[in-house]
Amino acid sequence: MTVFHFLNCAFLTFGPHVVYYSATPLSEYDTIGTSVKAAAVYLGTALVKLVCLATFLKVPENDSFDPYQELMKVFIGFIDVAGLYFALTQLTHRNISQNHKFQAVGLGWAFADSVLHRLAPLWIGARGLEFTWEYIFQGIEANANLVMTLSLAALGSLMWLRKNKPRTLVPIIYACALLLATMPSITSYLRRSLEWQTPKVVGFELFSSLVMAFISWQLFSACQRPM
């Protein structure tokens, strides 16, 4: 039962990444190299973020919401945006379209995030003797993070790679990217200040990811039309 529960949670956490790669043209264009490079960039940015968090943030005395701490986390979180910028603009990619490039980068980025933050807790906890919903919610959260990361990568490709785009859409693109970049602090506020339970927070993340994916898709489609 414990192994079965672990496998279920593992498939829920990491399976959608594999399915997305196999079910989209990414596999046809052999973009695995781009995804691996993006994952390597993510690991580098995660290390930089870890050093910054250890340097500029103090260990909280309680689990309450601290505006100063969260504001610092927001600024440090923009290291992820810088990492995505590097992955999208500075890495050498195969001759693939902008559409496939941001998907490959976002997929590699999200997969690396899931491995770094969820694999060890899953391996240790999901094999326990007592059943818990925690790791199922963790898997759902990983899926929401995948959608959000792909949305942020799509918006990043519009900001940094798409030269000719309608001027009226530029503020909306930047506003949506800012919202996605600050989403970890928003969920932290919901958990600590409003005391939302895990199912409610995960539901909010899933709903928000779908809404932002729809908006990002609409923006990306609008920018692809001839001006």
Side-chain angles (χ1 to χ4, degrees):
M1 178 65 183
T2 57
V3 176
F4 182 70
H5 179 51
F6 167 75
L7 291 177
N8 278 337
C9 294
F11 285 138
L12 180 62
T13 303
F14 304 107
H17 301 77
V18 179
V19 171
Y20 187 92
Y21 180 82
S22 303
T24 60
L26 296 180
S27 58
E28 299 177 10
Y29 288 91
D30 193 22
T31 60
I32 188 68
T34 297
S35 296
V36 170
K37 291 177 183 178
V41 174
Y42 172 82
L43 294 177
T45 58
L47 179 60
V48 174
K49 284 175 60 179
L50 183 63
V51 172
C52 292
L53 289 171
T55 303
F56 298 108
L57 297 183
K58 61 181 180 180
V59 179
E61 298 179 356
N62 50 57
D63 201 36
S64 61
F65 184 83
D66 187 339
Y68 172 76
Q69 294 276 87
E70 294 302 324
L71 184 61
M72 289 299 299
K73 288 181 182 179
V74 168
F75 285 120
I76 294 173
F78 280 105
I79 296 175
D80 281 331
V81 179
L84 272 176
Y85 170 81
F86 181 84
L88 285 169
T89 63
Q90 303 301 316
L91 291 180
T92 55
H93 303 279
R94 294 187 48 157
N95 188 23
I96 57 177
S97 66
Q98 179 185 354
N99 186 19
H100 297 139
K101 181 187 295 184
F102 88 77
Q103 291 183 72
V105 169
L107 183 63
W109 195 276
F111 184 78
D113 178 81
S114 291
V115 170
L116 187 62
H117 292 102
R118 298 177 177 89
L119 180 59
L122 190 64
W123 177 256
I124 296 171
R127 296 186 304 141
L129 296 178
E130 184 179 353
F131 174 83
T132 174
W133 285 94
E134 176 184 355
Y135 303 101
I136 295 178
F137 287 127
Q138 180 177 276
I140 299 174
E141 194 174 30
N143 294 334
N145 180 70
L146 170 62
V147 177
M148 287 188 185
T149 303
L150 288 170
S151 299
L152 183 57
L155 295 172
S157 69
L158 293 179
M159 290 188 294
W160 304 315
L161 301 178
R162 185 74 180 181
K163 302 302 180 182
N164 299 322
K165 48 184 176 284
R167 292 186 178 181
T168 55
L169 297 181
V170 172
I172 302 176
I173 293 172
Y174 278 87
C176 290
L178 179 64
L179 182 61
L180 285 169
T182 57
M183 189 59 68
S185 292
I186 295 175
T187 55
S188 177
Y189 173 78
L190 296 177
R191 290 179 190 273
R192 298 183 178 182
S193 185
L194 300 184
E195 298 182 350
W196 282 20
Q197 298 300 314
T198 299
K200 197 173 181 180
V201 174
V202 173
F204 169 79
E205 290 179 317
L206 193 59
F207 175 76
S208 301
S209 66
L210 294 176
V211 171
M212 295 308 301
F214 177 77
I215 295 174
S216 301
W217 174 60
Q218 292 293 330
L219 291 172
F220 197 88
S221 300
C223 292
Q224 296 297 321
R225 301 190 190 105
M227 297 180 60

